[in-house]
Amino acid sequence: MQDRLHNFNAGPAALPLPVLEEIKDSFLNFKGSGMSITEVSHRSPWFDDVINDAIQRTKRLLNLNDQYHVLFLQGGASMQFCMAPLNFLSGGQSADYINTGTWSTKAIKEAQIQNKPIKVVASSEDKNFCYIPKGIPFNKDAVYVHLTSNNTIKGTQFESLPDTGSVPMVIDMSSDIMSRSLDMSKVGMIYAGAQKNIGPAGVCMVIIRQDLLDLSPDNIPTMLNYNTFAKKNSMFNTPPCFSIYTIQLVLKWLEETIGGLEKMDERNRKKAKTLYDFIDNSDFYKATADMGSRSLMNVTFRLPNEILEKSFVTKAIESGLGGLKGHRSVGGCRASIYNATGMDAITDLISFMTQFEKTSG
Ligand code: PMP
């Protein structure tokens, strides 16, 4: 087998190697069933165990009380941009939105398309989304506050969740779910496309509190109603079984090998600090996100010009470092260093960056 790359892709992204190995080892005969996990019925005891274990592990890792439901939906995180306002704003009420880049802009658009009277209460568009707004004037009568905790493209992240008073937050955590410990007391809903920190593409994890679930009206399409899935343990129709199975294994790895979210948080902070420190100490590489708003997951940076950036990405791949090209909408370079990326990958990246600067700078 060809050696595996250090994978810095933004998503789909690196998964823990022990998880991939376990999938490989049990792929043809899952738990003595004589079938692959991709062949067993979603109504079978084998799959029941998988989904229920994934839910229990999520609840333990995030310290969720029994008011929260853990759902696995399709349509990606993008589907949630429309589902949240559809379900929660049926009575003509408003919600507050914070715009920190591409993904929040899309979420705002999907609420506006439905003529929901939402308010954009803060935006970092004035500076090309390179920072996270502070001191936001939230509206007390909003049904929820929507925010994107980590902006995958611009490499910014809320250092801590804002104080929204008694208004619950609805958070797109696609690119930082399960990467740090979290105070859930003000969180009404979290959603996350799995393909960055918790699994393969094809499933979106939705964690939703009962009081928000109670807002969903009956007169919206069945497949867009959170209650449809909450009532049927995410199995109203055939769920994305393989993706959920992989999530279960990733969560097991997080709990049993890493030791939970505080430990993961520590590791992620150390990785990001090492890389940002290196970039900040160099005159050749330049970080693009403002200090204090920098993402621990997506480290975005520029080189002196685009020709060097292109050569950097190509030579990096030749050196076993993949996925360093910035998002096509912004250019530059980006190292996505999600949970499954180890310190060894950071060390090797820094050695390569040092060498590249010496030969090209
Ligand atoms: N939100 C964020 C923060 C993302 O990074 C992405 C995907 N990169 C999305 C939403 C969209 O996710 P999906 O492709 O699952 O719809």
Side-chain angles (χ1 to χ4, degrees), residues 21-326:
E21 279 167 345
E22 184 165 346
I23 292 171
K24 180 172 155 244
D25 291 345
S26 60
F27 196 66
L28 296 184
N29 188 352
F30 181 67
K31 301 247 153 111
S33 64
M35 296 174 275
S36 164
I37 185 68
T38 56
E39 298 173 308
V40 301
S41 165
H42 60 294
R43 309 276 177 212
S44 66
W46 294 291
F47 188 70
D48 255 347
D49 286 352
V50 166
I51 195 165
N52 290 332
D53 190 58
I55 291 168
Q56 289 315 315
R57 288 186 188 279
T58 302
K59 289 191 166 176
R60 282 199 298 271
L61 281 160
L62 290 169
N63 251 325
L64 301 178
N65 63 32
D66 58 8
Q67 289 300 298
Y68 289 91
H69 302 256
V70 179
L71 311 180
F72 297 98
L73 308 187
Q74 300 188 59
S78 300
M79 183 69 101
Q80 297 311 307
F81 300 160
C82 95
M83 275 178 77
L86 181 69
N87 280 261
F88 305 146
L89 301 177
S90 65
Q93 320 91 317
S94 179
D96 285 353
Y97 275 69
I98 304 173
N99 190 1
T100 52
T102 308
W103 303 111
S104 359
T105 306
K106 289 192 179 199
I108 290 164
K109 182 179 163 212
E110 292 303 310
Q112 287 171 338
I113 279 179
Q114 300 176 56
N115 286 322
K116 303 294 184 191
I118 60 151
K119 297 187 183 108
V120 179
V121 289
S123 166
S124 49
E125 196 171 5
D126 58 335
K127 283 200 186 163
N128 204 11
F129 299 116
C130 72
Y131 71 101
I132 297 291
K134 301 237 158 63
I136 301 170
F138 294 110
N139 292 295
K140 285 196 176 64
D141 58 350
V143 176
Y144 62 85
V145 172
H146 180 279
L147 61 103
T148 313
S149 51
N150 184 73
N151 182 355
T152 326
I153 294 177
K154 294 286 185 179
T156 60
Q157 185 178 28
F158 280 84
E159 259 189 333
S160 56
L161 294 176
D163 182 3
T164 58
S166 58
V167 180
M169 281 178 265
V170 169
I171 312 178
D172 176 357
M173 278 198 186
S174 292
S175 46
D176 64 353
I177 191 167
M178 303 284 180
S179 68
R180 54 184 179 177
S181 34
L182 198 67
D183 171 14
M184 289 295 294
S185 60
K186 301 269 178 61
V187 180
M189 184 173 112
I190 288 172
Y191 63 92
Q195 64 272 17
K196 296 156 199 308
N197 248 338
I198 52 172
V203 65
C204 180
M205 182 185 267
V206 175
I207 299 166
I208 182 169
R209 210 170 60 191
Q210 186 63 45
D211 56 316
L212 282 184
L213 205 49
D214 291 342
L215 296 175
S216 298
D218 293 332
N219 63 345
I220 55 175
T222 311
M223 288 297 287
L224 297 178
N225 190 324
Y226 290 118
N227 279 300
T228 304
F229 298 93
K231 281 185 190 145
K232 299 280 184 187
N233 205 25
S234 297
M235 289 191 276
F236 170 75
N237 67 332
T238 320
C241 301
F242 179 74
S243 298
I244 295 171
Y245 163 61
T246 309
I247 290 180
Q248 182 224 350
L249 296 182
V250 170
L251 298 178
K252 185 170 129 208
W253 170 82
L254 259 173
E255 269 198 302
E256 296 176 10
T257 307
I258 300 295
L261 294 192
E262 272 173 31
K263 288 271 168 15
M264 194 72 248
D265 196 350
E266 252 172 59
R267 279 167 69 133
N268 284 334
R269 276 176 207 282
K270 210 163 153 194
K271 279 154 42 186
K273 183 176 183 324
T274 307
L275 188 49
Y276 282 120
D277 281 353
F278 169 79
I279 292 172
D280 288 341
N281 282 324
S282 142
D283 294 327
F284 186 73
Y285 302 101
K286 193 173 177 327
T288 62
D290 277 9
M291 257 337 157
S293 297
R294 288 173 168 181
S295 169
L296 302 177
M297 299 279 98
N298 310 98
V299 178
T300 49
F301 55 96
R302 306 281 331 205
L303 276 66
N305 62 57
E306 286 180 16
I307 297 167
L308 280 172
E309 285 170 351
K310 211 169 162 200
S311 153
F312 176 84
V313 171
T314 311
K315 290 204 171 129
I317 293 172
E318 288 162 15
S319 304
L321 307 160
L324 290 163
K325 192 165 182 282

